[in-house]
Amino acid sequence: MAIRNQWIDILAAHAPEDFAVLREMARLVHGQGGQAYLVGGCVRDVLQGIPGHDFDVEVHGIPADKLSALLSAHWELNQVGASFGVIKFAHRDIDVALPRRENLIGKGHRDFSIATDPYLGVAEASARRDFTINAMMLDLLTGELVDPWNGRSDLANGILRHVSEHFIEDPLRVLRAMQFLARFPLVAAPETIEVCARMSQEHLPPERIAGEWEKLLLKGRQPSRGLQFLLDCGWLRFYPELEALVGCEQYELYHPEGDVWRHTCLALDATVPLRTDSQEDNLVRALAVLLHDVGKPSVTCMGPKGHLVAWNHENEGLPIAERFLNRMWNQPRLVRDVLVLIQNHMRPVPLQLEDCGPRAYRRLSVEVKRLDLLADVVECDMRGTLASEETLRIVNDFRSRIRELAIDKAPPPPIVGGKDLIRLGFRPGPLFGDILGRCYEAQLSGAFSGIDDGIAYLEKLLKELDLTP
C-alpha cells in the first residue's frame, strides 16, 4: 500500500487543485456504482516520479448520459469531444472518457466506427491502446495499479512494446514510437519493430505526421534514436530525402563519424542543449540541422585530389529539403526560414577564418536575418563531425562577432529612410527605392553609423546624382 500511496502523493503534491477534482469525481462515480481510473501517459509518468500536467480519466460502469449529468452538476464542462465519448473539463486539463469499441472501416487514420461501452472491462478497453507502458490504469480512490499488459515491467526494463493486434489499425502509432524512443530511455521490442515494418503511412494526414515529428524534434532527449527506429522498421522509405543519406560516404579526414546519415543523427542530437523558450526557433533550428546535408547524395563524387567532395551541396539540397517540408508543413514562413539556414550554413566559417570585416557580416545578416540560428546550425554541424573544442571555437568567435555588431537576431535597420527624403523636399516616387537602397548599401559598408552622417551621405549622393526636389 505504501507504493500505491506514493503514486497518489505524487499527484497530490504536484497538482493539488486538479487532484482534489479528480478524487471528488472518483468518489461521485464510485457512489453511482462506477470506477474512475487515471489512464495513459499520465500513469506512465507518475510511475517514473514525473509530475504530469494533463490528466486522462476513464470511467467504467456508468452510461454516458448518466456520467455527463453527474459531472455537469458539479463542474463546468466542455462538450467538444462528447460525440466520441470524451468529456472535457472547462479550465482544467482533465479529460474524461468512457471505454469504447473501435472498428476499422477504411484505410485512413480516422476511419473508425466508435461506440462507447461502459461495461467493456479494463482488459479489453486497454487492448486498444498503443503501447504497454501507456495501457496501465491507476484507481483514483485506492491507488491500485491495474496493469493487464505488464506495462510496469516493460517500463522498468526500458522496453517499448505494442499492446495487441489492434496496434496495426492505426499507422500513426509507428511515428508515436519514433518520438517516444527519442524522448524516453526505451528500446523497441523486436516484435514491435516487425509489426511496424508491415504498416504504411500512406493514408495518414500530413498534419498528424508533422505533429509526431515535432514531438521528436522539440521534446526528444536523443532525437537520433527516433531516426534509427525509422531505419530499423523500414519507415525511412516514406522519407526518401533522409533515406538517401544512409550509406552516402564522406571524406574520413573531415568526417571520422562515418556516412551522412550518421553525421546527421549526431548533429540533430546536438540541437537538444541549444533549445530555448521559443518553440518556433527550436523547430526551425532542428529542421535545418535535420536537412542541412540532404544535397550531398546528389553531388558527392571523387575530387581532383583523390578524396570525396560534396561541392555546392548546400544549394543542391534546397529543392530536396523543400519537398520534405512541404509534404508535412503548410507553413511558407517556416519553410523559408529553414531553407535560408540550409543555404548559408557553409558561410560563417570562412568569414571567421578569413578575418572578414563588418561589411561581410552585415551583408550575411541581411540575407539570413537570424545569424544566431545560423550559428547554432553550424555548431551542430561541427558536433556532428566529432569536432574538437579548438574547431568549435570558430563558431563561438562568430557568435561573439555578430553580437558585437548587434546583428545576431536581425539585420541592422536602415538609418536613412523615406521620411528623410521627404524632409529634403522630395515626393515619394520610383527613385525612392534606388536612392534608399544605395544609402543602405553604404551603411552596410560602414560609410556611416548615425543619423547625422547618414543625412550628410544622402545629401552628397543626391548631389552626385544631380537630383533636386
Side-chain angles (χ1 to χ4, degrees):
M1 185 61 109
I3 294 178
R4 296 173 184 171
N5 288 338
Q6 179 184 359
W7 298 335
I8 294 295
D9 289 345
I10 290 171
L11 290 171
H14 175 66
E17 292 185 6
D18 286 337
F19 179 70
V21 172
L22 292 169
R23 290 279 276 189
E24 179 61 21
M25 176 180 59
R27 292 189 189 97
L28 291 170
V29 166
H30 184 72
Q32 296 296 317
Q35 285 181 289
Y37 298 97
L38 201 63
V39 297
C42 49
V43 179
R44 176 197 68 222
D45 293 344
V46 165
L47 264 62
Q48 297 179 96
I50 302 172
H53 298 281
D54 302 323
F55 301 99
D56 294 323
V57 178
E58 191 168 87
V59 173
H60 290 245
I62 299 180
D65 54 350
K66 187 175 180 180
L67 177 62
S68 181
L70 177 66
L71 299 182
S72 62
H74 294 82
W75 297 282
E76 182 181 354
L77 305 178
N78 182 343
Q79 298 289 347
V80 170
S83 61
F84 297 99
V86 178
I87 301 171
K88 296 178 177 288
F89 276 58
H91 317 302
R92 293 191 183 279
D93 290 325
I94 298 175
D95 291 354
V96 181
L98 291 169
R100 60 190 194 180
R101 299 180 183 274
E102 298 178 352
N103 292 304
L104 188 64
I105 57 176
K107 295 181 178 180
H109 172 68
R110 298 186 179 93
D111 292 337
F112 287 89
S113 65
I114 298 173
T116 60
D117 183 351
Y119 308 106
L120 188 61
V122 294
E124 190 171 350
S126 61
R128 289 286 180 180
R129 296 194 175 273
D130 50 10
F131 304 105
T132 61
I133 62 171
N134 292 334
M136 297 178 284
M137 309 169 72
L138 189 65
D139 190 306
L140 281 165
L141 285 182
T142 68
E144 177 188 1
L145 183 69
V146 180
D147 184 16
W149 302 99
N150 298 314
R152 185 182 178 190
S153 174
D154 281 346
L155 187 63
N157 292 314
I159 297 174
L160 187 70
R161 191 192 315 274
H162 67 289
V163 169
S164 71
E165 69 279 2
H166 294 297
F167 182 88
I168 203 167
E169 295 173 357
D170 185 0
L172 190 67
R173 289 168 168 175
V174 178
L175 297 181
R176 282 174 59 79
M178 171 192 73
Q179 52 102 348
F180 278 154
L181 291 166
R183 292 168 57 192
F184 305 109
L186 301 167
V187 175
E191 62 268 31
T192 298
I193 293 175
E194 190 277 328
V195 166
C196 292
R198 293 189 278 112
M199 299 167 70
S200 170
Q201 74 165 38
E202 182 181 357
H203 298 287
L204 290 177
E207 65 274 11
R208 298 304 300 271
I209 296 173
E212 299 304 319
W213 273 92
E214 288 179 17
K215 291 173 186 174
L216 169 85
L217 298 172
L218 300 179
K219 297 182 178 182
R221 288 184 281 182
Q222 196 174 347
S224 63
R225 299 183 72 248
L227 294 185
Q228 186 60 40
F229 171 75
L230 292 184
L231 176 61
D232 292 343
C233 71
W235 266 50
L236 272 188
R237 68 186 186 274
F238 302 115
Y239 308 96
E241 302 85 359
L242 300 180
E243 187 177 37
L245 306 182
V246 180
C248 181
E249 299 299 331
Q250 305 183 97
Y251 183 29
E252 63 181 11
L253 180 63
Y254 297 147
H255 290 279
E257 73 281 4
D259 65 9
V260 183
W261 170 256
R262 174 65 176 157
H263 167 72
T264 299
C265 287
L266 290 171
L268 189 61
D269 285 346
T271 65
V272 174
L274 297 178
R275 290 172 185 159
T276 67
D277 291 336
S278 171
Q279 294 295 75
E280 181 179 351
D281 286 356
N282 294 340
L283 183 58
V284 168
R285 180 193 303 107
L287 284 170
V289 171
L290 175 69
L291 301 170
H292 77 285
D293 276 352
V294 292
K296 281 189 173 180
S298 62
V299 299
T300 295
C301 63
M302 194 65 66
K305 295 184 178 181
H307 60 74
L308 292 171
V309 295
W311 292 327
N312 201 38
H313 71 273
E314 63 275 24
N315 290 308
E316 289 294 325
L318 295 179
I320 300 171
E322 188 172 13
R323 286 196 297 272
F324 178 95
L325 295 168
N326 283 332
R327 281 205 308 275
M328 287 182 274
W329 288 276
N330 183 24
Q331 300 179 40
R333 178 182 172 183
L334 171 68
V335 174
R336 182 191 68 228
D337 291 348
V338 171
L339 293 181
V340 77
L341 294 177
I342 294 172
Q343 185 175 28
N344 292 282
H345 78 272
M346 299 294 290
R347 296 177 66 183
V349 170
L351 286 183
Q352 281 299 124
L353 295 180
E354 296 169 15
D355 195 24
C356 294
R359 176 181 182 179
Y361 287 85
R362 293 189 184 109
R363 287 184 179 279
L364 183 59
S365 75
V366 172
E367 294 181 45
V368 177
K369 304 296 188 292
R370 291 292 301 276
L371 292 185
D372 57 335
L373 291 180
L374 183 61
D376 289 347
V377 173
V378 174
E379 177 182 338
C380 293
D381 191 12
M382 288 180 170
R383 292 191 182 278
T385 66
L386 310 176
S388 66
E389 289 303 314
E390 182 178 353
T391 300
L392 289 167
R393 191 177 300 121
I394 298 172
V395 71
N396 290 330
D397 289 344
F398 176 80
R399 282 199 179 95
S400 297
R401 193 70 190 279
I402 61 178
R403 288 172 187 148
E404 174 189 320
L405 295 171
I407 55 173
D408 52 324
K409 294 187 181 298
I415 294 173
V416 175
K419 62 183 184 303
D420 300 307
L421 276 170
I422 293 172
R423 263 200 304 268
L424 293 175
F426 287 84
R427 293 183 178 180
L431 284 175
F432 264 44
D434 179 60
I435 294 170
L436 295 178
R438 294 190 185 206
C439 288
Y440 192 53
E441 282 292 322
Q443 174 189 330
L444 295 178
S445 299
F448 57 87
S449 58
I451 185 60
D452 293 338
D453 290 340
I455 296 298
Y457 181 89
L458 173 62
E459 291 174 339
K460 178 183 176 183
L461 176 63
L462 293 172
K463 186 175 181 180
E464 291 175 352
L465 296 174
D466 195 24
L467 293 175
T468 57

